[in-house]
Amino acid sequence: EVQLVESGGGLVQPGRSLRLSCTASGFTFGDYAMSWFRQAPGKGLEWVGFIRSKAYGGTTEYAASVKGRFTISRDDSKSIAYLQMNSLKTEDTAVYYCTRGDPIAAAAPFDYWGQGTLVTVSS
Amino acid sequence: DIQLTQSPSFLSASVGDRVTITCRASQGISSYLAWYQQKPGKAPKLLIYAASTLQSGVPSRFSGSGSGTEFTLTISSLQPEDFATYYCQQLNSYSFTFGPGTKVDIK
């Protein structure tokens, strides 16, 4: 059974950093691109960023709203994807979800989602 | 960036009703569109991708159609577990933008 479990969320002050983890099981992690999405309280869904599988170069893409502040990485030996968030702003407050899939390069939709982890940026 | 709009934004319906939700893209996206269902406090659930392909395990009462700039999600006979918010998402470019959502409520 495919499972994605996010962790690392919590309360953080503006300007500080936080690292989220997404631990995967039930599939060959290294074969899949991994994405992060977020949803601010009571709002819609927003794509954050994406890391391709090694087969597609392991490169990353980011939304304009987080580019230069957030970094996605992966450890295929541990089946974990990371979202490093620096210079956090109050508008980054959201539930963060990880998903697998690469709709553009691999024609693989975002078919499995984690349960989400809440990040609250507040002083 | 590609923008998506959805209509209606809110829909009140009864069990057994046929429900149709429309999603429009600001530019052509071929068939690169997905539909999700989200219930309060839960992650989105993929229903449809490539505009009309039913995700494995999703009931056949859900169907999708369209291409280019106009798409529809249809629920042929609304069930109690279908009351939720539905989002479309474009899969054509690396912004993967979502529509604002359609909340389906019980009449």
Side-chain angles (χ1 to χ4, degrees):
Chain A
E1 179 193 5
V2 172
Q3 284 197 318
L4 299 170
V5 179
E6 301 93 340
S7 59
L11 175 64
V12 61
Q13 294 178 326
R16 303 298 290 265
S17 298
L18 199 64
R19 188 178 80 162
L20 306 183
S21 300
C22 171
T23 302
S25 61
F27 65 101
T28 304
F29 181 79
D31 288 349
Y32 286 82
M34 299 298 295
S35 273
W36 289 90
F37 289 84
R38 67 184 180 182
Q39 187 170 35
K43 302 295 185 183
L45 294 155
E46 179 187 19
W47 174 70
V48 172
F50 170 93
I51 184 165
R52 296 178 178 87
S53 65
K54 294 287 197 294
Y56 287 87
T59 52
T60 53
E61 307 280 349
Y62 298 97
S65 58
V66 306
K67 197 168 187 178
R69 299 189 298 123
F70 290 12
T71 302
I72 297 173
S73 60
R74 62 189 300 154
D75 185 337
D76 290 352
S77 68
K78 295 181 179 178
S79 298
I80 300 177
Y82 299 100
L83 177 64
Q84 177 68 43
M85 304 184 291
N86 298 332
S87 304
L88 281 160
K89 305 175 181 180
T90 54
E91 53 263 40
D92 295 319
T93 293
V95 174
Y96 285 73
Y97 297 101
C98 71
T99 75
R100 72 171 196 179
D102 184 348
I104 294 178
F110 301 118
D111 57 355
Y112 286 91
W113 293 59
Q115 85 288 352
T117 188
L118 176 62
V119 172
T120 303
V121 184
S122 174
S123 54
Chain B
D1 278 2
I2 298 170
Q3 307 299 319
L4 299 178
T5 58
Q6 287 182 235
S7 60
S9 53
F10 180 84
L11 188 160
S12 186
S14 301
V15 172
D17 283 353
R18 181 181 181 88
V19 166
T20 299
I21 299 169
T22 299
C23 177
R24 291 186 174 86
S26 58
Q27 62 190 77
I29 57 171
S30 185
S31 296
Y32 292 100
L33 189 99
W35 289 97
Y36 298 87
Q37 176 193 71
Q38 188 178 33
K39 296 181 179 179
K42 300 294 187 181
K45 174 186 175 183
L46 178 67
L47 300 174
I48 303 277
Y49 63 96
S52 61
T53 302
L54 194 67
Q55 171 67 0
S56 176
V58 173
S60 59
R61 63 181 179 273
F62 291 93
S63 64
S65 64
S67 66
T69 61
E70 188 154 332
F71 303 86
T72 59
L73 173 71
T74 300
I75 310 173
S76 60
S77 177
L78 200 65
Q79 298 302 299
E81 60 268 30
D82 300 337
F83 292 97
T85 299
Y86 293 84
Y87 293 95
C88 57
Q89 180 194 28
Q90 63 84 11
L91 305 177
N92 186 68
S93 69
Y94 286 107
S95 57
F96 297 125
T97 43
F98 290 85
T102 295
K103 185 174 182 181
V104 178
D105 210 343
I106 302 171
K107 182 182 279 185

